[in-house]
Short mmCIF file of all heavy atoms in Angstrom, two decimals:
data_model
loop_
_atom_site.label_atom_id
_atom_site.label_comp_id
_atom_site.label_asym_id
_atom_site.label_seq_id
_atom_site.Cartn_x
_atom_site.Cartn_y
_atom_site.Cartn_z
N GLY A 327 127.26 185.21 141.59
CA GLY A 327 127.98 186.41 142.03
C GLY A 327 129.16 186.06 142.93
O GLY A 327 130.05 186.88 143.12
N THR A 328 129.20 184.84 143.49
CA THR A 328 130.35 184.48 144.33
C THR A 328 131.46 183.94 143.42
O THR A 328 131.21 183.51 142.29
CB THR A 328 129.98 183.38 145.35
OG1 THR A 328 129.55 182.23 144.62
CG2 THR A 328 128.87 183.83 146.29
N GLU A 329 132.69 183.98 143.96
CA GLU A 329 133.83 183.57 143.14
C GLU A 329 133.71 182.09 142.73
O GLU A 329 133.95 181.71 141.59
CB GLU A 329 135.12 183.79 143.93
CG GLU A 329 136.35 183.79 143.05
CD GLU A 329 137.61 183.90 143.90
OE1 GLU A 329 137.55 184.54 144.97
OE2 GLU A 329 138.62 183.32 143.48
N GLY A 330 133.30 181.28 143.70
CA GLY A 330 133.17 179.84 143.42
C GLY A 330 132.20 179.58 142.29
O GLY A 330 132.47 178.79 141.38
N PHE A 331 131.06 180.27 142.33
CA PHE A 331 130.03 180.09 141.30
C PHE A 331 130.61 180.45 139.93
O PHE A 331 130.45 179.70 138.96
CB PHE A 331 128.82 180.97 141.64
CG PHE A 331 127.67 180.86 140.67
CD1 PHE A 331 126.64 179.95 140.88
CD2 PHE A 331 127.61 181.67 139.53
CE1 PHE A 331 125.58 179.85 139.99
CE2 PHE A 331 126.56 181.57 138.64
CZ PHE A 331 125.54 180.66 138.87
N GLU A 332 131.28 181.58 139.86
CA GLU A 332 131.78 182.04 138.56
C GLU A 332 132.87 181.12 138.00
O GLU A 332 132.90 180.84 136.81
CB GLU A 332 132.25 183.49 138.66
CG GLU A 332 131.02 184.38 138.64
CD GLU A 332 131.26 185.82 139.01
OE1 GLU A 332 132.42 186.25 139.01
OE2 GLU A 332 130.26 186.49 139.30
N GLN A 333 133.71 180.61 138.92
CA GLN A 333 134.76 179.66 138.48
C GLN A 333 134.12 178.40 137.90
O GLN A 333 134.53 177.87 136.87
CB GLN A 333 135.59 179.25 139.68
CG GLN A 333 136.88 180.01 139.80
CD GLN A 333 137.74 179.41 140.89
OE1 GLN A 333 137.40 178.38 141.49
NE2 GLN A 333 138.86 180.04 141.14
N MET A 334 133.09 177.93 138.62
CA MET A 334 132.44 176.70 138.14
C MET A 334 131.75 176.94 136.80
O MET A 334 131.81 176.11 135.90
CB MET A 334 131.42 176.22 139.18
CG MET A 334 132.04 175.55 140.36
SD MET A 334 130.80 174.69 141.31
CE MET A 334 130.40 175.91 142.48
N TYR A 335 131.06 178.07 136.70
CA TYR A 335 130.33 178.41 135.48
C TYR A 335 131.30 178.37 134.29
O TYR A 335 131.05 177.71 133.26
CB TYR A 335 129.73 179.81 135.66
CG TYR A 335 128.62 180.20 134.73
CD1 TYR A 335 127.51 180.89 135.20
CD2 TYR A 335 128.65 179.89 133.37
CE1 TYR A 335 126.48 181.27 134.36
CE2 TYR A 335 127.61 180.27 132.53
CZ TYR A 335 126.54 180.97 133.03
OH TYR A 335 125.52 181.34 132.19
N ALA A 336 132.43 179.07 134.46
CA ALA A 336 133.42 179.12 133.37
C ALA A 336 133.96 177.72 133.08
O ALA A 336 134.19 177.34 131.93
CB ALA A 336 134.56 180.06 133.75
N GLY A 337 134.13 176.92 134.15
CA GLY A 337 134.63 175.55 133.99
C GLY A 337 133.68 174.73 133.13
O GLY A 337 134.09 173.96 132.25
N TRP A 338 132.37 174.88 133.37
CA TRP A 338 131.39 174.11 132.60
C TRP A 338 131.44 174.51 131.13
O TRP A 338 131.44 173.66 130.24
CB TRP A 338 129.98 174.34 133.15
CG TRP A 338 129.42 173.13 133.85
CD1 TRP A 338 129.10 171.93 133.27
CD2 TRP A 338 129.15 172.98 135.25
NE1 TRP A 338 128.63 171.05 134.23
CE2 TRP A 338 128.64 171.68 135.44
CE3 TRP A 338 129.27 173.83 136.34
CZ2 TRP A 338 128.26 171.19 136.70
CZ3 TRP A 338 128.88 173.35 137.58
CH2 TRP A 338 128.40 172.04 137.75
N LEU A 339 131.50 175.83 130.89
CA LEU A 339 131.52 176.29 129.48
C LEU A 339 132.76 175.75 128.76
O LEU A 339 132.68 175.27 127.63
CB LEU A 339 131.47 177.82 129.43
CG LEU A 339 130.18 178.46 129.94
CD1 LEU A 339 130.22 179.98 129.72
CD2 LEU A 339 128.95 177.87 129.26
N ALA A 340 133.92 175.82 129.44
CA ALA A 340 135.15 175.35 128.80
C ALA A 340 135.06 173.84 128.53
O ALA A 340 135.50 173.35 127.47
CB ALA A 340 136.35 175.65 129.71
N ASP A 341 134.49 173.11 129.48
CA ASP A 341 134.38 171.65 129.33
C ASP A 341 133.49 171.31 128.12
O ASP A 341 133.86 170.49 127.27
CB ASP A 341 133.77 171.08 130.62
CG ASP A 341 133.73 169.56 130.62
OD1 ASP A 341 134.76 168.96 130.30
OD2 ASP A 341 132.66 168.98 130.93
N PHE A 342 132.32 171.96 128.04
CA PHE A 342 131.43 171.68 126.90
C PHE A 342 132.10 172.11 125.58
O PHE A 342 132.02 171.39 124.59
CB PHE A 342 130.09 172.41 127.08
CG PHE A 342 129.19 171.75 128.10
CD1 PHE A 342 128.56 172.48 129.10
CD2 PHE A 342 128.93 170.38 128.03
CE1 PHE A 342 127.72 171.88 130.02
CE2 PHE A 342 128.09 169.75 128.95
CZ PHE A 342 127.49 170.50 129.95
N ASP A 343 132.77 173.28 125.60
CA ASP A 343 133.44 173.74 124.37
C ASP A 343 134.49 172.74 123.91
O ASP A 343 134.68 172.51 122.73
CB ASP A 343 134.09 175.12 124.59
CG ASP A 343 133.04 176.22 124.60
OD1 ASP A 343 131.89 175.94 124.21
OD2 ASP A 343 133.36 177.35 125.03
N SER A 344 135.19 172.12 124.88
CA SER A 344 136.28 171.22 124.50
C SER A 344 135.75 170.00 123.73
O SER A 344 136.50 169.35 123.01
CB SER A 344 137.05 170.75 125.75
OG SER A 344 136.25 169.83 126.49
N ARG A 345 134.47 169.70 123.89
CA ARG A 345 133.91 168.56 123.14
C ARG A 345 132.92 169.01 122.07
O ARG A 345 132.20 168.19 121.50
CB ARG A 345 133.22 167.57 124.11
CG ARG A 345 134.18 166.81 125.01
CD ARG A 345 133.48 165.73 125.84
NE ARG A 345 132.53 166.30 126.77
CZ ARG A 345 132.83 166.83 127.94
NH1 ARG A 345 134.08 166.82 128.35
NH2 ARG A 345 131.90 167.33 128.72
N GLY A 346 132.86 170.33 121.82
CA GLY A 346 131.97 170.84 120.76
C GLY A 346 130.50 170.62 121.07
O GLY A 346 129.69 170.38 120.15
N VAL A 347 130.12 170.72 122.35
CA VAL A 347 128.73 170.46 122.73
C VAL A 347 127.88 171.70 122.45
O VAL A 347 128.22 172.81 122.89
CB VAL A 347 128.65 170.09 124.23
CG1 VAL A 347 127.20 169.94 124.68
CG2 VAL A 347 129.44 168.83 124.49
N GLY A 348 126.78 171.50 121.72
CA GLY A 348 125.89 172.62 121.42
C GLY A 348 124.74 172.71 122.40
O GLY A 348 124.27 173.79 122.75
N GLU A 349 124.23 171.57 122.84
CA GLU A 349 123.16 171.57 123.83
C GLU A 349 123.19 170.26 124.61
O GLU A 349 123.84 169.29 124.22
CB GLU A 349 121.80 171.83 123.19
CG GLU A 349 121.43 170.87 122.09
CD GLU A 349 120.14 171.26 121.37
OE1 GLU A 349 119.80 172.47 121.31
OE2 GLU A 349 119.47 170.35 120.87
N VAL A 350 122.45 170.29 125.73
CA VAL A 350 122.41 169.11 126.60
C VAL A 350 120.95 168.70 126.76
O VAL A 350 120.10 169.52 127.14
CB VAL A 350 123.01 169.44 128.00
CG1 VAL A 350 123.02 168.17 128.86
CG2 VAL A 350 124.41 170.00 127.86
N GLY A 351 120.67 167.45 126.42
CA GLY A 351 119.31 166.94 126.56
C GLY A 351 119.15 166.22 127.88
O GLY A 351 120.11 165.73 128.47
N PHE A 352 117.90 166.19 128.34
CA PHE A 352 117.57 165.42 129.55
C PHE A 352 116.35 164.58 129.22
O PHE A 352 115.44 165.04 128.51
CB PHE A 352 117.22 166.36 130.71
CG PHE A 352 116.52 165.65 131.85
CD1 PHE A 352 117.26 164.94 132.78
CD2 PHE A 352 115.14 165.66 131.97
CE1 PHE A 352 116.62 164.25 133.82
CE2 PHE A 352 114.50 164.97 133.00
CZ PHE A 352 115.25 164.28 133.93
N GLY A 353 116.31 163.38 129.72
CA GLY A 353 115.12 162.59 129.45
C GLY A 353 115.07 161.29 130.20
O GLY A 353 115.89 161.02 131.09
N VAL A 354 114.07 160.51 129.83
CA VAL A 354 113.80 159.23 130.49
C VAL A 354 114.08 158.11 129.48
O VAL A 354 113.55 158.13 128.37
CB VAL A 354 112.33 159.14 130.95
CG1 VAL A 354 112.11 157.86 131.75
CG2 VAL A 354 111.93 160.36 131.76
N ILE A 355 114.93 157.17 129.90
CA ILE A 355 115.34 156.07 129.03
C ILE A 355 114.67 154.79 129.53
O ILE A 355 114.84 154.42 130.69
CB ILE A 355 116.88 155.91 129.10
CG1 ILE A 355 117.56 157.19 128.65
CG2 ILE A 355 117.34 154.68 128.31
CD1 ILE A 355 119.06 157.22 128.92
N THR A 356 113.89 154.16 128.65
CA THR A 356 113.25 152.89 129.02
C THR A 356 113.78 151.81 128.08
O THR A 356 113.67 151.95 126.85
CB THR A 356 111.72 153.02 128.91
OG1 THR A 356 111.28 154.07 129.79
CG2 THR A 356 111.03 151.72 129.31
N LEU A 357 114.37 150.78 128.64
CA LEU A 357 114.96 149.69 127.85
C LEU A 357 114.26 148.39 128.25
O LEU A 357 113.91 148.20 129.40
CB LEU A 357 116.46 149.58 128.17
CG LEU A 357 117.27 150.88 127.99
CD1 LEU A 357 118.65 150.74 128.61
CD2 LEU A 357 117.37 151.23 126.51
N GLN A 358 114.10 147.50 127.27
CA GLN A 358 113.43 146.23 127.55
C GLN A 358 114.17 145.10 126.86
O GLN A 358 114.52 145.23 125.68
CB GLN A 358 111.99 146.30 127.04
CG GLN A 358 111.22 144.99 127.16
CD GLN A 358 109.79 145.10 126.65
OE1 GLN A 358 108.84 145.09 127.42
NE2 GLN A 358 109.61 145.22 125.34
N ARG A 359 114.41 144.03 127.59
CA ARG A 359 115.00 142.85 126.94
C ARG A 359 113.87 142.05 126.31
O ARG A 359 112.95 141.62 127.01
CB ARG A 359 115.75 141.97 127.96
CG ARG A 359 116.22 140.65 127.36
CD ARG A 359 117.28 139.97 128.18
NE ARG A 359 118.53 140.71 128.19
CZ ARG A 359 119.34 140.92 127.14
NH1 ARG A 359 119.03 140.43 125.96
NH2 ARG A 359 120.46 141.61 127.27
N PRO A 360 113.89 141.86 124.96
CA PRO A 360 112.81 141.08 124.33
C PRO A 360 112.72 139.68 124.92
O PRO A 360 113.74 139.09 125.29
CB PRO A 360 113.21 141.04 122.85
CG PRO A 360 114.14 142.19 122.67
CD PRO A 360 114.86 142.36 123.97
N ARG A 361 111.49 139.17 125.00
CA ARG A 361 111.31 137.80 125.53
C ARG A 361 111.80 136.75 124.54
O ARG A 361 112.28 135.70 124.93
CB ARG A 361 109.81 137.53 125.76
CG ARG A 361 109.30 138.15 127.02
CD ARG A 361 107.87 137.76 127.31
NE ARG A 361 107.37 138.64 128.35
CZ ARG A 361 107.69 138.53 129.61
NH1 ARG A 361 108.47 137.53 130.01
NH2 ARG A 361 107.24 139.39 130.51
N ASP A 362 111.61 137.04 123.22
CA ASP A 362 111.97 136.06 122.20
C ASP A 362 112.98 136.67 121.25
O ASP A 362 113.20 137.87 121.28
CB ASP A 362 110.73 135.68 121.38
CG ASP A 362 109.57 135.36 122.27
OD1 ASP A 362 109.74 134.46 123.11
OD2 ASP A 362 108.52 136.03 122.16
N ALA A 363 113.52 135.80 120.38
CA ALA A 363 114.48 136.30 119.38
C ALA A 363 113.71 137.11 118.34
O ALA A 363 112.91 136.57 117.59
CB ALA A 363 115.17 135.12 118.72
N ARG A 364 113.89 138.39 118.32
CA ARG A 364 113.29 139.26 117.29
C ARG A 364 114.13 140.53 117.23
O ARG A 364 114.90 140.82 118.15
CB ARG A 364 111.83 139.61 117.58
CG ARG A 364 111.61 140.39 118.86
CD ARG A 364 110.26 141.11 118.90
NE ARG A 364 109.96 141.57 120.25
CZ ARG A 364 110.45 142.68 120.79
NH1 ARG A 364 111.29 143.45 120.11
NH2 ARG A 364 110.14 143.03 122.02
N GLU A 365 113.95 141.30 116.16
CA GLU A 365 114.64 142.58 116.04
C GLU A 365 114.15 143.52 117.14
O GLU A 365 112.93 143.67 117.30
CB GLU A 365 114.29 143.22 114.69
CG GLU A 365 115.20 142.82 113.56
CD GLU A 365 116.66 143.16 113.83
OE1 GLU A 365 116.97 144.35 113.94
OE2 GLU A 365 117.47 142.22 113.94
N PRO A 366 115.03 144.15 117.89
CA PRO A 366 114.54 145.10 118.89
C PRO A 366 113.92 146.33 118.23
O PRO A 366 114.32 146.71 117.13
CB PRO A 366 115.80 145.49 119.67
CG PRO A 366 116.95 144.88 119.00
CD PRO A 366 116.49 144.00 117.89
N TRP A 367 112.94 146.92 118.89
CA TRP A 367 112.37 148.17 118.38
C TRP A 367 113.01 149.36 119.08
O TRP A 367 113.48 149.24 120.22
CB TRP A 367 110.84 148.21 118.51
CG TRP A 367 110.27 147.93 119.88
CD1 TRP A 367 109.73 146.75 120.31
CD2 TRP A 367 110.18 148.83 121.00
NE1 TRP A 367 109.30 146.85 121.61
CE2 TRP A 367 109.56 148.12 122.06
CE3 TRP A 367 110.54 150.16 121.21
CZ2 TRP A 367 109.32 148.70 123.31
CZ3 TRP A 367 110.29 150.74 122.45
CH2 TRP A 367 109.69 150.02 123.47
N VAL A 368 113.02 150.49 118.39
CA VAL A 368 113.61 151.71 118.95
C VAL A 368 112.65 152.86 118.69
O VAL A 368 112.16 153.02 117.57
CB VAL A 368 114.97 152.03 118.28
CG1 VAL A 368 115.51 153.37 118.74
CG2 VAL A 368 115.98 150.93 118.55
N ASP A 369 112.34 153.63 119.71
CA ASP A 369 111.49 154.81 119.52
C ASP A 369 112.10 155.98 120.30
O ASP A 369 112.28 155.90 121.52
CB ASP A 369 110.06 154.51 120.04
CG ASP A 369 109.06 155.53 119.49
OD1 ASP A 369 109.46 156.43 118.75
OD2 ASP A 369 107.86 155.40 119.82
#
Side-chain angles (χ1 to χ4, degrees):
T328 60
E329 197 185 329
F331 181 92
E332 282 168 16
Q333 262 189 4
M334 283 194 266
Y335 198 139
W338 251 293
L339 294 185
D341 185 49
F342 284 132
D343 284 347
S344 72
R345 290 186 296 279
V347 175
E349 56 186 29
V350 183
F352 165 81
V354 185
I355 300 170
T356 301
L357 306 168
Q358 175 179 252
R359 172 162 293 293
R361 282 186 193 285
D362 312 303
R364 63 161 167 80
E365 271 302 296
W367 53 260
V368 174
D369 197 359

